[in-house]
Amino acid sequence: MLELASRALFAQGVGALDDTLLKMREWQVFAKDYPLLEVGFRRQGTICIRVRLRCDDWNELPPSIDICDAQGTPVASMPQNLSGILNSSAHPQTGKPFICMRGSREYHTHPSHSADAWDAIKSNDAFTLGGILTQIWRAWLKVPA
Amino acid sequence: MNSPHEHTVEVRVVTTAGVFPHSGLEHEHAAQPVAVILEKAKRALHIIDTANWIAVAGGHRIDPSLSYAANHLGPRVEIDWGPDHGAGGDA
């Protein structure tokens, strides 16, 4: 996809994350300059984790996703019980733990899921930038405080 | 005699595609299924596929097929509507 089109689609997705939504969900946007979108999730008023989406070639490709600590450093070990979407084993391409969920680049490039094509789902409203963040956030809410 | 306002709720639907209504609140009958306003929001916000979406209000998941009253909602309701958590891939 042309970078110009990717940037426009990225801006549209980021622009839809309006203040009402951010306040309601206690999300904080730390970065929204293409290709990075980084959102922190709060619990009891404190940022607990940040989710960093690297959206180069969006949405020809799904975002590459890092889970980071409150300071923005990628975590070495993932919170557990995240509805099974956190895979602590090394991804064959990145060598790091990864988000093993439809909508994550690491999922769709994993040999176990190569048949589950991003192209088949990328137009679904659950797989917009906000939709992917929502799925991760709802899983994170299930992690015991 | 009950005030008519006792039978209405003020509602806003919040999604990652936008907020419905864009400003202010919708006035809905308390006996009306929540699904009615979700359908309005879906059309207004140009959302196509809401399979596997859930509605949450006041920190609790609600049943859109039931009324506001049956969901114990009111008089002012903000509904967070979006996809449920992703499922693990067992890679």
Side-chain angles (χ1 to χ4, degrees):
Chain A
M1 177 181 274
L2 291 173
E3 185 178 318
L4 201 62
S6 179
R7 283 179 178 274
L9 203 54
F10 176 86
Q12 182 183 44
V14 171
L17 305 177
D18 80 1
D19 288 344
T20 303
L21 175 89
L22 299 177
K23 185 177 177 186
M24 175 185 236
R25 293 187 175 178
E26 296 189 278
W27 288 8
Q28 181 175 344
V29 176
F30 286 95
K32 57 178 181 180
D33 294 325
Y34 181 87
L36 290 182
L37 173 60
E38 186 170 325
V39 176
F41 299 158
R42 285 194 196 90
R43 184 172 270 161
Q44 296 172 338
T46 304
I47 294 289
C48 296
I49 66 166
R50 298 190 194 186
V51 178
R52 182 178 297 149
L53 278 60
R54 186 164 54 81
C55 306
D56 52 294
D57 215 6
W58 173 255
N59 70 355
E60 192 65 28
L61 296 176
S64 177
I65 303 174
D66 275 328
I67 298 294
C68 303
D69 64 18
Q71 285 70 45
T73 304
V75 297
S77 62
M78 298 277 200
Q80 295 303 302
N81 303 316
L82 201 51
S83 300
I85 71 170
L86 289 179
N87 193 315
S88 292
S89 63
H91 188 278
Q93 291 185 4
T94 68
K96 298 187 299 186
F98 62 101
I99 295 287
C100 191
M101 179 191 92
R102 297 172 96 202
S104 143
R105 190 177 304 177
E106 288 71 27
Y107 171 91
H108 291 284
T109 58
H110 196 285
S112 298
H113 302 295
S114 55
D116 197 353
W118 166 245
D119 277 350
I121 61 169
K122 70 179 185 182
S123 298
N124 188 297
D125 290 297
F127 295 98
T128 60
L129 293 175
I132 292 167
L133 279 169
T134 299
Q135 293 186 58
I136 296 170
W137 175 64
R138 291 204 197 281
W140 174 75
L141 289 176
K142 293 180 177 296
V143 176
Chain B
M1 184 173 172
N2 291 338
S3 155
H5 295 294
E6 291 180 28
H7 302 294
T8 63
V9 290
E10 296 179 312
V11 193
R12 178 159 63 176
V13 180
V14 180
T15 80
T16 57
V19 178
F20 177 80
H22 183 64
S23 61
L25 299 159
E26 286 284 297
H27 293 261
E28 300 284 312
H29 200 282
Q32 182 168 267
V34 173
V36 173
I37 197 167
L38 297 184
E39 189 58 35
K40 289 183 191 174
K42 185 175 175 178
R43 282 199 303 270
L45 300 173
H46 308 292
I47 299 167
I48 306 296
D49 187 353
T50 56
N52 199 37
W53 281 35
I54 62 170
V56 175
H60 300 285
R61 185 169 175 172
I62 60 173
D63 183 348
S65 70
L66 300 180
S67 68
Y68 297 93
N71 275 300
H72 309 289
L73 299 173
R76 181 171 287 196
V77 185
E78 283 197 319
I79 300 172
D80 184 345
W81 193 37
D84 200 356
H85 61 76
D90 298 323

